[in-house]
Amino acid sequence: MKTATNNGSNRLIGLFIDIKNLLKGKVLIANVFPVFTAFWLAIYFEGEQFGDYIGLFSLTLIGSTLVISGALMLNNWFEVDLDQNMDRTQKRPTVSGNFSLKAVLWAGILTTIIGLAIMLFTTPEALLYSFLGWFVYVVLYTFWSKRRYTWNTLIGSVSGAFTPLIGWAAIAPANHIVPITLFVILLIWQVPHTLAITIRRLEDYTRAGVPMLPVVRGVQVAMMHHLVYIIALLPLPFLLIEPLGWVFFVIAILLTIGWMIQAVKGFQAKDQKKWAQTSLRFSLIYLILLFLLMVILTI
């Protein structure tokens, strides 16, 4: 009896791990967090109370999470041949065979449809941004550009940048300096973040034949692009001084400068993979602190 119970528990744990790997756990969280942040900020700047919007908040978060999850599943389904040649993706259930490709395809389609259906009960604008984010990631990035062009990274970045627009538009039209600036921040941030991953896993992408910038034009060129995009983040906190204040501005500038310094160190790094791993962590710290600070300052 005890052995059967343990086996059942192990299978359940294994299932959860497979689902986490299928949905690229950290990627899912990194996309949903800006939805929450922008929703919160929209309530603050519209002078509303969060407690009055619990139902709408639940619909927005659940709907957007399902749409994003659907996109990630379809990405895994389509890229299984690439993932089979990459060390970092060997635990994905599409590679291990724990989930059939047909099941993943249908799960991705149905999850997307359910997510968009839920977003129908928010606002038309939030629904539009949800669909556009999905369309850019699945069709323009996964199906069209990733296997063809080095600038596939920028197209993928456009998809992720829609997330704060979704959260804000659930409350009010997103023609406001805050959600627009958040869109631009995420658009720019994702490029050096992704380049750090690519440099860290250069052999993987080379073996899989994915035309990422470091694979096609070399690590030094990729590192230069990595630095340029981080520098491009520097002016953006100026746009948020009035709505979010000087405390946010100073901390945001310091975080950007710190990331810039770390990026410059890469050109003298003896171990570029180790440097890329550090830059990857710094990019995540930058994003989490930046968005968390926005929430804290508006409580």
Side-chain angles (χ1 to χ4, degrees):
M1 178 68 73
K2 194 171 185 179
T3 301
T5 302
N6 289 338
N7 289 337
S9 298
N10 291 337
R11 283 196 296 270
L12 185 60
I13 292 171
L15 176 62
F16 281 125
I17 292 174
D18 280 335
I19 293 173
K20 184 200 75 166
N21 290 330
L22 181 67
L23 299 180
K24 307 178 183 180
K26 293 178 182 178
V27 176
L28 180 62
I29 293 171
N31 277 275
V32 173
F33 187 44
V35 177
F36 161 73
T37 302
F39 188 98
W40 175 274
L41 292 174
I43 286 177
Y44 174 82
F45 286 106
E46 289 296 312
E48 304 289 348
Q49 296 295 319
F50 185 81
D52 296 332
Y53 290 89
I54 294 297
L56 181 59
F57 171 73
S58 300
L59 290 171
T60 304
L61 212 63
I62 293 171
S64 60
T65 299
L66 289 174
V67 173
I68 295 166
S69 298
L72 293 171
M73 283 189 274
L74 291 172
N75 173 269
N76 277 345
W77 167 77
F78 188 74
E79 294 186 354
V80 64
D81 59 324
L82 303 180
D83 291 342
Q84 287 170 345
N85 292 309
M86 301 176 70
D87 291 338
R88 76 182 185 90
T89 55
Q90 292 305 300
K91 292 183 179 180
R92 290 180 184 172
T94 46
V95 176
S96 66
N98 290 346
F99 292 170
S100 72
L101 291 180
K102 184 178 180 180
V104 171
L105 172 61
W106 278 108
I109 293 172
L110 292 174
T111 302
T112 299
I113 292 172
I114 294 170
L116 291 174
I118 292 174
M119 292 304 297
L120 278 170
F121 296 94
T122 59
T123 66
E125 191 176 353
L127 171 64
L128 174 63
Y129 294 140
S130 298
F131 172 75
L132 288 176
W134 179 92
F135 180 82
V136 172
Y137 186 77
V138 174
V139 179
L140 300 185
Y141 173 68
T142 300
F143 293 172
W144 175 57
S145 67
K146 186 169 182 178
R147 298 170 187 254
R148 293 179 174 88
Y149 309 109
T150 58
W151 37 271
N152 63 58
T153 300
L154 191 56
I155 293 177
S157 298
V158 173
S159 173
F162 276 109
T163 51
L165 299 184
I166 296 169
W168 189 285
I171 296 295
N175 57 343
H176 188 285
I177 190 63
V178 172
I180 293 173
T181 303
L182 296 187
F183 175 91
V184 178
I185 288 174
L186 281 171
L187 175 65
I188 296 173
W189 171 86
Q190 288 174 91
V191 178
H193 172 78
T194 303
L195 288 175
I197 295 174
T198 311
I199 294 170
R200 174 72 178 83
R201 297 288 186 174
L202 184 61
E203 288 81 2
D204 270 1
Y205 287 97
T206 302
R207 187 165 53 249
V210 183
M212 304 298 284
L213 187 64
V215 175
V216 177
R217 300 190 59 189
V219 172
Q220 289 296 313
V221 172
M223 289 171 67
M224 183 58 69
H225 282 246
H226 176 272
L227 176 60
V228 168
Y229 276 94
I230 296 173
I231 294 173
L233 289 169
L234 199 57
L236 297 177
F238 285 91
L239 301 175
L240 297 175
I241 292 176
E242 183 177 348
L244 292 175
W246 285 95
V247 172
F248 172 81
F249 170 77
V250 171
I251 295 176
I253 289 293
L254 290 175
L255 282 170
T256 309
I257 292 174
W259 195 8
M260 286 168 52
I261 292 171
Q262 198 280 328
V264 170
K265 290 180 180 179
F267 293 99
Q268 290 84 36
K270 293 181 179 179
D271 188 342
Q272 291 176 331
K273 289 184 179 181
K274 185 177 180 181
W275 165 82
Q277 181 65 26
T278 303
S279 183
L280 178 60
R281 289 173 182 166
F282 205 108
S283 70
L284 293 171
I285 292 171
Y286 171 90
L287 188 70
I288 293 169
L289 289 182
L290 203 66
F291 278 75
L292 190 60
L293 183 62
M294 294 177 194
V295 174
I296 291 172
L297 291 174
T298 52
I299 291 177

